[in-house]
Amino acid sequence: MTISTTAKTTALSKAFGPILMMVVLGSSLMFVAGHAQSAALHDAAHDVRHATGFPCH
Amino acid sequence: MFKRMFVSAVVAGGVAGFLAAALHFAFLQDRLLLAEQYESGALIHFQAAPAMGHDHAAGESADHDDAANGEAGHDHSTPQGAVDGDGHSHSHEPSGGSLGRNGLTVMFDVLVYVGFAMLLIAGFGAAEATGRRIGALEGILWGLGGFAAIQLAPAMGLAPELPGTPAAALGARQVWWWMTVLCTAGGLGLLAYGRGMALAAAGVALLALPHLIGAPEADGYAGVAPPELAAEFAARALGIGAIAWAFLGWFASRLWSDKPA
């Protein structure tokens, strides 16, 4: 029990960094493509924003 | 581990993005272009015609963040070529014509779905690190969960909008959108993986919270396009999302489990 708990904790702490990085990268992509309000980005992403239901303008 | 996650996300998200773009062109783009003709005034829905005494000015002020920002120039009855008075003139026709425009749609669908895939695979990684296997079934369920969190639950407060639909201030809508996404994802996670009734109850509370708070609303209804068009657009946008997300979840789980840790 103690060993398997330790193993689990080790697996989780090893995975924590990569998981966090994926969350940050994924959220950033979602923000830039879906929410950032620069005019050029807005125009380029316009149709996708409407189609995906992101609040557009 | 990061490389395995990254590659799986880019491949699965890329393919799902192309699928979403294909569905977009099959189901949505003609609705969107038609709506823009109503937005520009090239087409006028009979109920929105100025002759019917419909007061545009009242609705317009809710359309944009800055009502004082030259709204007088934003006249929907002006024939095509009207410039938005809201500070960002979006011609909806970037250089390169419809080919350029549609190319950008494909590109951004791929970007958005790669982002979705990264979040999904981060979830797979967390589930696996706590001793749970992600098979095809789990992949599809995770994908539908992602759809619920990122598209369906926010749509219950902020329906996918036709271009030209007046809505509440953008900032407030974005805040509610992100809050709804986080609460729904957290609530579903607690329901799916939490142990005991207390956590399940907390999950349900999280799912309900954004809707109890309520999405920011525009003052009244002042859309210029026919309601049928808006309904078709919203239903199709959500349908496309459900299909693309289910595929994304399934495909990402297959890529994920094929590779050694």
Side-chain angles (χ1 to χ4, degrees):
Chain A
M1 179 65 193
T2 320
I3 293 168
S4 81
T5 312
T6 316
K8 259 188 190 177
T9 315
T10 314
L12 195 58
S13 62
K14 245 177 77 181
F16 185 75
I19 289 171
L20 187 68
M21 245 150 91
M22 292 297 278
V23 170
V24 170
L25 272 177
S27 311
S28 308
L29 262 182
M30 222 159 74
F31 176 78
V32 171
H35 294 81
Q37 282 302 305
S38 98
L41 258 182
H42 170 276
D43 287 358
H46 178 267
D47 294 1
V48 170
R49 290 182 179 193
H50 278 281
T52 320
F54 294 134
C56 190
H57 45 71
Chain B
M1 182 169 184
F2 178 73
K3 192 181 161 203
R4 176 185 168 214
M5 291 178 126
F6 188 82
V7 172
S8 302
V10 169
V11 175
V15 176
F18 275 109
L19 173 65
L23 291 169
H24 177 107
F25 294 126
F27 287 98
L28 219 48
Q29 190 66 9
D30 62 333
R31 305 290 91 181
L32 202 147
L33 293 174
L34 190 57
E36 283 178 358
Q37 291 194 286
Y38 286 101
E39 185 186 14
S40 70
L43 288 177
I44 293 177
H45 184 48
F46 72 95
Q47 285 176 320
M52 302 294 285
H54 184 92
D55 184 10
H56 272 251
E60 284 295 299
S61 59
D63 191 0
H64 306 292
D65 285 339
D66 186 358
N69 185 9
E71 281 299 330
H74 191 96
D75 181 358
H76 281 298
S77 64
T78 310
Q80 200 132 32
V83 177
D84 280 347
D86 56 5
H88 60 272
S89 76
H90 41 273
S91 63
H92 300 312
E93 206 65 41
S95 51
S98 66
L99 194 65
R101 175 176 179 163
N102 292 342
L104 286 169
T105 295
V106 175
M107 193 182 95
F108 274 93
D109 260 329
V110 167
L111 280 178
V112 163
Y113 274 86
V114 167
F116 293 166
M118 286 175 165
L119 297 173
L120 205 56
I121 283 177
F124 290 176
E128 241 184 45
T130 54
R132 287 166 173 103
R133 211 182 65 85
I134 298 292
L137 175 65
E138 286 80 6
I140 293 173
L141 287 173
W142 271 84
L144 289 174
F147 165 69
I150 292 183
Q151 291 187 243
L152 188 60
M156 289 181 68
L158 302 168
E161 283 172 14
L162 275 179
T165 308
L170 179 67
R173 282 185 291 140
Q174 288 186 334
V175 167
W176 188 85
W177 189 92
W178 282 100
M179 180 190 70
T180 305
V181 168
L182 288 175
C183 287
T184 309
L188 287 176
L190 283 177
L191 278 179
Y193 290 111
R195 294 210 183 99
M197 287 313 282
L199 284 182
V204 172
L206 263 183
L207 287 175
L209 179 67
H211 306 284
L212 293 174
I213 292 172
E217 285 175 13
D219 310 326
Y221 299 103
V224 292
E228 296 93 326
L229 189 58
E232 286 169 358
F233 184 85
R236 290 176 185 201
L238 289 174
I240 289 169
I243 294 166
W245 269 103
F247 171 78
L248 173 65
W250 172 80
F251 191 38
S253 77
R254 299 300 76 206
L255 289 177
W256 177 252
S257 60
D258 275 356
K259 289 178 188 164

